[in-house]
Amino acid sequence: MARRATFFKTVRENGGAVFIGGGYELAVPGTEGDRHPAAVEQLKRAYGMLGYDIFLLSPADAAVLSGSKVQAPRAWQPPLDEPALVERNVPGGRLAFVLFPDSGRADPAMEDRLVDFARELRAKGKYNLVIGVSTWGSARENAFIDTSDPVFDIILGSGEGPGYSGLYMWDNRVLWVRAFTKGKSVHTVTIPALPAPGEKVVWTPEQSVRTLAQPLGDNIASAPDIQAIFTR
C-alpha cells in the first residue's frame, strides 16, 4: 500500500491520469469474515489517502465495512442496483466510466440494460471512450463480453479469477484488463491519443494503447505516512 502511494504520486506529477479502484481492495474473495475491525480501519484510512477518482466497492467490500461498523469515505461507491456514470475530463477529451451493478449473482435483464446504457452514452457523441468498471469476477465478465455487443472500449475488471494486464476481445474492439488479487502490482492503461468523441475504437496494441502491470517491488520507496498506519 505504501509503495502504491509512491507510484501514484509519480504518475500524478505527469498529469492526465485517472485512478480507479475496482473492487475487492478491502476483501480478497472469500475473506469477508476474516477481517478484524482494526485492520479494516487501517485499510480504510490508507485507501482514503490514496486519492482514487473512482473507488467501486464489491459486495464483499461492503460486507466487510458493514461488519466492522467503519464508515466508508464519501467518495466511495457502494455496490449498485443499476449502471451509473462517472465522467472525467482528461487532456484531449472526456471519458465515460460506467460502474457495473453487482448484486452478487448473474442478472441477464440488468446486463441488457447495461449494454443499452453504454450504447446510449456513445450515441451522445460527447465521450472519447466508454469504459466499464466491474466487480463481477472473471467468469461473469468473460461471459458478458462474449455474448454482448462490444459497446465498451475498455472493461476494467476485478474479483475472483485470473488477472490480465490486457486481453483484446472482439477483434480488438474491447480491451479487458483485470486486477491481480495479491495487490502487489498496479495496472496502467496508456492511450497516447484519444479517438474522436462517439467513435468506436479498434485498438492497435502497443500503438493506440499500451498496458502494463507495474510491480510494486523494493525499487519503489514506501510512502512514510501510509507506512505509519500499519506500523503503529
Side-chain angles (χ1 to χ4, degrees), residues 77-228:
Q77 177 63 62
L80 301 164
D81 296 322
E82 294 293 332
L85 169 65
V86 178
E87 299 179 349
R88 284 293 181 270
N89 292 324
V90 295
R94 179 181 296 180
L95 307 181
F97 292 91
V98 179
L99 308 186
F100 283 22
D102 192 354
S103 64
R105 63 183 185 278
D107 185 342
M110 182 278 296
E111 291 175 17
D112 289 342
R113 295 195 298 274
L114 179 60
V115 170
D116 291 341
F117 188 88
R119 186 179 287 117
E120 290 169 5
L121 288 176
R122 191 178 306 281
K124 292 180 178 180
K126 60 188 288 190
Y127 303 108
N128 301 78
L129 292 172
V130 180
I131 302 169
V133 183
S134 166
T135 58
W136 290 356
S138 63
R140 188 175 168 197
E141 290 167 4
N142 192 35
F144 174 76
I145 293 169
D146 281 347
T147 59
S148 301
D149 290 341
V151 291
F152 290 96
D153 300 303
I154 302 172
I155 292 180
L156 305 175
S158 61
E160 291 184 300
Y164 304 125
S165 59
L167 293 182
Y168 294 88
M169 318 288 281
W170 279 91
D171 296 324
N172 289 9
R173 286 183 284 174
V174 179
L175 170 61
W176 184 25
V177 178
R178 277 189 46 80
F180 297 114
T181 58
K182 299 296 184 181
K184 295 182 179 180
S185 63
V186 173
H187 286 306
T188 64
V189 179
T190 303
I191 302 166
L194 292 172
E199 176 183 303
K200 181 65 184 90
V201 69
V202 177
W203 298 112
T204 302
E206 301 306 315
Q207 294 184 33
S208 63
V209 64
R210 296 189 296 272
T211 64
L212 175 68
Q214 173 64 50
L216 300 176
D218 293 339
N219 60 312
I220 299 176
S222 295
D225 53 347
I226 300 290
Q227 188 69 31

Side-chain angles (χ1 to χ4, degrees), residues 8 11-12 16-22 47-48 50-56 74-77 86-90 95 97 99 133:
F8 279 15
V11 173
R12 283 194 174 95
V18 180
F19 295 83
I20 302 167
Y47 277 111
L50 288 175
Y52 281 93
D53 296 289
I54 299 170
F55 198 88
L56 179 61
R74 183 174 299 178
W76 293 9
Q77 177 63 62
V86 178
E87 299 179 349
R88 284 293 181 270
N89 292 324
V90 295
L95 307 181
F97 292 91
L99 308 186
V133 183

